[in-house]
Amino acid sequence: MGNFTTSSILLLFLFSSVVTSLPLSTNSRWIVDDRGRRVKLACVNWASHMEPVLAEGLSKQPMDTIAKRIVSMGFNCVRFTWPLYLITNDSLASLTVRQSFQQLGLLESIAGIQANNPSIIDVSLIKAYQAVVSSLGENNVMVILDNHISKPGWCCSNLDDNGFFGDKYFDPDLWITGLTQMATLFNGVTNVVGMSLRNEPRGPKQNINDWYKYMPKGAEAVHSANPNVLVILSGLSFDRDLSFLKNQQLKLTFSGKLVFEAHWYGFSDGQTTWVKDNPNEVCGRVATYMMNTSGYLVDQGYPLFIGEFGIDQSGANVNGNRYISCFLGVAAELDLDWALWTLAGSYYVRDGVVGLNEYYGAMDYNWCGARNSSFIQRISALQSPFRGPGLSEAKPHKVIFHPLTGLCITRKSLVHPLQLGPCSDAYPWSYSPQKTLVVKGTRFCLQTDASGTSLKLGIFCTGSNSKWETISDSKMHLSAKLRDGKSICLDVASDNTIITNGCKCISKDNTCDPSSQWFKLVDSTRSSTRVERSLLQYLPGKGLVPNHLVG
């Protein structure tokens, strides 16, 4: 698995070195650089909106070290949160880092910041925020400035008075002023590529009319002050609902910069939904909800940014574990831009608890390394784009993605069985109207002969054992029928070999986990040189020839 991680991160590094040409804009549903080439935002959230109003972790490690660890984990972008009062409340904005932490009695954190980041300990909070953005820029990390909340603190609840226009701490005029000031402050800072106008609108006052009244004003204010940045707008109900845009489009004076944002967690669908109900049925239900409320926007020509998703990376939460495979399948199929929640391995203080351990964090408690390296490997395939403008490295094809591992179906050589491997080495497939999966550019189709055995590639593709249908509500079981009429599904053996087994957990049963049998057919135009060569054979005088033409 370590080799898979290295390969994927190397691919991301090589790809990023080619495409990073700022500023960014939009081309239909894609985010592109100034040469028109797709740039996929593979971000991690870095919180700076809590009571101390300082980027978390700076008492544990130097900011440059943290920035380099963000890069080493394959992220190219940070969604960097900030509270509105940081820029609109003069008494808060003028506090030094030391003074802010002294007010909260966080003396141990002061000592840690003094040791690890002495250059910011006696500067204002806004200067410290700018310093983190600068450090990320020096490490070629893009930044999205996210107005997370107004009054500093943990977010979010329906009753925190920070949720919607007109709430106690959410004055729309002050919000527009703050957005304008923040956009102006970072105008000319090239690695600041976007501004997310407000995190998770919510609460009893939320309504569509006020969303249309104020969101365009905020968008216009940001664009006027800083025309380079992407303008990212969130929906209602904790940023889960943008369905109202079906009936009334947003009218703005500018174009080429608008991105919509949605959030999706396992607990968004209920704290125990994924445990008490059948995972296939839940996945089908929540994926349909997501497509109806936000996912449809990509078909209408708008980029959709999943600004928050994540799980308890200790692996202890079954609800989250089941959700994440469904989420990754959808995110791969739509090739979405996204931001993982969260970077923080721990907090200075959260909800009154000093040094709270963050199990959703990509970093460990002391910010020394990845909390769960296998999870970072799992999302690495989604850190590079599968397709988009300027990425026509190969003719359109499909790859077969396995969300549980984050790997794709490939093969080391002709003498090896089909197995899971890095998606950078994925076999290219075409999926015919007859439901055969054929290796692109050959006559070889995917076949099965018996349950529990490895799959093979054959050239006689008319039998039921060569016809693969997506079944179950999740639409992620790939099923064929053996010659005796028995239905079987793709599965993965312990050594990552692709096999078939009886289809499991199709409906009703909530005690089993179907995720080993979940596969997603993902559209791609990425090339795979190693795979292309493995399907060829050298013949004297003829060179490399497709294997099905040999003999």
Side-chain angles (χ1 to χ4, degrees), residues 238-312:
F238 293 86
D239 207 359
R240 297 195 71 213
D241 187 6
L242 286 157
S243 61
F244 49 87
L245 290 165
K246 294 177 183 178
N247 301 318
Q248 182 180 347
Q249 288 192 346
L250 193 66
K251 295 180 180 179
L252 298 171
T253 62
F254 62 91
S255 62
K257 293 291 182 179
L258 179 62
V259 176
F260 289 106
E261 179 175 338
H263 294 180
W264 183 7
Y265 290 100
F267 56 76
S268 301
D269 312 302
Q271 295 288 346
T272 60
T273 299
W274 289 88
V275 176
K276 69 180 183 181
D277 295 338
N278 175 269
N280 272 304
E281 294 173 339
V282 177
C283 183
R285 185 167 68 243
V286 301
T288 298
Y289 174 86
M290 180 267 183
M291 289 303 299
N292 287 335
T293 54
S294 61
Y296 75 93
L297 287 164
V298 300
D299 294 327
Q300 293 194 354
Y302 295 102
L304 181 64
F305 174 59
I306 303 299
E308 291 184 22
F309 77 97
I311 58 168
D312 176 345

Side-chain angles (χ1 to χ4, degrees), residues 99-167:
Q99 290 168 340
S100 177
F101 279 75
Q102 284 174 338
Q103 287 186 357
L104 296 166
L106 301 174
L107 303 184
E108 185 176 338
S109 291
I110 292 174
I113 297 166
Q114 180 77 62
N116 288 294
N117 293 283
S119 64
I120 65 165
I121 190 68
D122 289 314
V123 306
S124 66
L125 294 174
I126 190 64
K127 290 290 186 184
Y129 189 91
Q130 289 175 283
V132 174
V133 171
S134 178
S135 179
L136 291 167
E138 290 168 1
N139 287 278
N140 297 315
V141 178
M142 296 177 288
V143 175
I144 293 170
L145 307 178
D146 167 60
N147 177 221
H148 209 71
I149 202 166
S150 295
K151 181 184 178 183
W154 180 248
C155 182
C156 302
S157 82
N158 271 314
L159 302 175
D160 60 10
D161 290 323
N162 265 288
F164 201 71
F165 305 114
D167 278 353

Side-chain angles (χ1 to χ4, degrees), residues 363-488:
M363 301 292 288
D364 60 25
Y365 182 84
N366 288 313
W367 295 66
C368 292
R371 178 179 295 268
N372 184 339
S373 58
S374 64
F375 181 78
I376 299 301
Q377 180 272 317
R378 187 176 175 186
I379 64 173
S380 64
L382 274 61
Q383 290 175 321
S384 297
F386 287 102
R387 54 197 167 101
L391 300 183
S392 300
E393 302 166 348
K395 292 182 179 180
H397 60 273
K398 295 185 182 294
V399 298
I400 306 177
F401 175 69
H402 189 242
L404 179 62
T405 59
L407 303 173
C408 291
I409 293 182
T410 185
R411 185 164 64 170
K412 289 182 179 179
S413 71
L414 289 171
V415 299
H416 289 87
L418 291 167
Q419 63 184 62
L420 293 177
C423 289
S424 56
D425 291 336
Y427 260 27
W429 304 87
S430 61
Y431 189 50
S432 74
Q434 292 74 39
K435 302 188 184 302
T436 56
L437 280 164
V438 179
V439 180
K440 195 78 172 179
T442 77
R443 297 175 186 170
F444 292 122
C445 65
L446 190 66
Q447 295 181 336
T448 180
D449 285 334
S451 180
T453 61
S454 299
L455 275 79
K456 67 177 185 178
L457 295 177
I459 58 173
F460 299 106
C461 305
T462 58
S464 62
N465 67 330
S466 301
K467 299 182 184 300
W468 299 91
E469 298 190 57
T470 54
I471 64 169
S472 79
D473 288 1
S474 69
K475 299 180 181 177
M476 287 199 284
H477 280 87
L478 280 171
S479 176
K481 288 186 177 181
L482 300 175
R483 290 182 174 87
D484 62 6
K486 178 183 177 182
S487 293
I488 47 83

